[in-house]
Amino acid sequence: MGLFGKSSELPSPERALPGRSEAMPVPERHYVLDAPLKGPYAVHLETAMFGLGCFWGAERKFWQLEGVYTTAVGYAAGLTPNPTYQEVCTGMTGHNEVVLVVFDPSIISYETLLQTFWESHNPTQGMRQGNDVGTQYRSGIYSYSDAQQAQAEDSKVAYERALQEKGLPPITTEIIAAPDFYFAEDYHQQYLAKNPGGYCGLGGTGVSYPA
């Protein structure tokens, strides 16, 4: 994964790849949780979206949490409709590798998801995550409501303070309203469950999120 996507700048709309109208075919069921991968989901469930580096390891962090109903990996916050992995890796779609998380708020809170997000990667590195370099590895929180947006922004302030107390630089995480989510290819979904010895470049800062 670290060999691709060396660009550190997002493409302009004029330069972005054109993409396609056809959606990516994906499995019906989650490989680990045996829940539907695609919606519509039950009305009591909520949705969250995060980008924190290579989505293989990122997805595993969330499907392991009690109260998470289903997860999926995909591409978001870019310009190209229905991109392929190869296109995203060129840096010419503008997308981030993201994890869609569907959860039961009566069991797990959005703040707990935010804690997992912050502690599972280094949010100070800009367009990279460790050895994975490129715009597709940037840190991002994509909110599905005003409440999520406010919580995400508050959590950034709190975690940035904790990081700076340990001498780390400012957070570079983008926090925006959730854009379109495009499912990644079948083989990316729950990749580390299908390939337990597969690559995971995820690494946190070692700084705990202040409860």
Side-chain angles (χ1 to χ4, degrees):
M1 301 282 284
L3 299 177
F4 303 105
K6 300 299 183 183
S7 174
S8 61
E9 295 184 4
L10 294 170
S12 65
E14 295 76 22
R15 297 181 62 226
L17 297 176
R20 59 202 49 81
S21 59
E22 300 81 15
M24 189 73 68
V26 294
E28 290 186 6
R29 311 291 296 183
H30 193 284
Y31 186 80
V32 178
L33 302 175
D34 195 32
L37 212 62
K38 286 187 171 184
Y41 308 108
V43 294
H44 71 284
L45 300 174
E46 295 183 13
T47 305
M49 190 195 303
F50 305 100
L52 53 155
C54 172
F55 53 19
W56 292 346
E59 185 185 19
R60 182 170 61 182
K61 287 287 186 180
F62 290 102
W63 85 52
Q64 293 175 335
L65 300 175
E66 182 180 1
V68 169
Y69 174 73
T70 195
T71 60
V73 294
Y75 315 114
L79 298 166
T80 300
N82 296 297
T84 66
Y85 177 67
Q86 288 73 20
E87 289 172 339
V88 171
C89 287
T90 67
M92 296 306 296
T93 74
H95 288 94
N96 197 4
E97 291 191 16
V98 300
V99 182
L100 186 73
V101 182
V102 182
F103 65 102
D104 185 338
S106 70
I107 301 174
I108 186 171
S109 67
Y110 185 62
E111 185 171 14
T112 299
L113 299 182
L114 288 170
Q115 177 180 358
T116 300
F117 166 79
W118 292 119
E119 293 182 352
S120 296
H121 76 304
N122 185 335
T124 71
Q125 295 186 314
M127 298 297 186
R128 65 178 298 167
Q129 195 59 212
N131 292 327
D132 293 329
V133 179
T135 55
Q136 76 203 72
Y137 302 115
R138 64 191 187 269
S139 177
I141 303 173
Y142 307 101
S143 62
Y144 281 91
S145 66
D146 291 343
Q148 283 192 2
Q149 182 77 16
Q151 278 189 270
E153 291 173 350
D154 288 347
S155 73
K156 177 184 176 181
V157 172
Y159 196 57
E160 188 167 60
R161 186 181 302 118
L163 291 177
Q164 291 182 336
E165 287 176 356
K166 299 295 185 180
L168 278 79
I171 286 173
T172 59
T173 304
E174 62 181 4
I175 303 177
I176 60 174
D180 290 335
F181 172 83
Y182 298 106
F183 283 89
E185 293 83 344
D186 181 353
Y187 72 93
H188 287 303
Q189 304 298 334
Q190 298 85 64
Y191 180 87
L192 290 181
K194 302 170 186 173
N195 303 275
Y199 169 82
C200 177
L202 220 59
T205 60
V207 178
S208 297
Y209 176 77

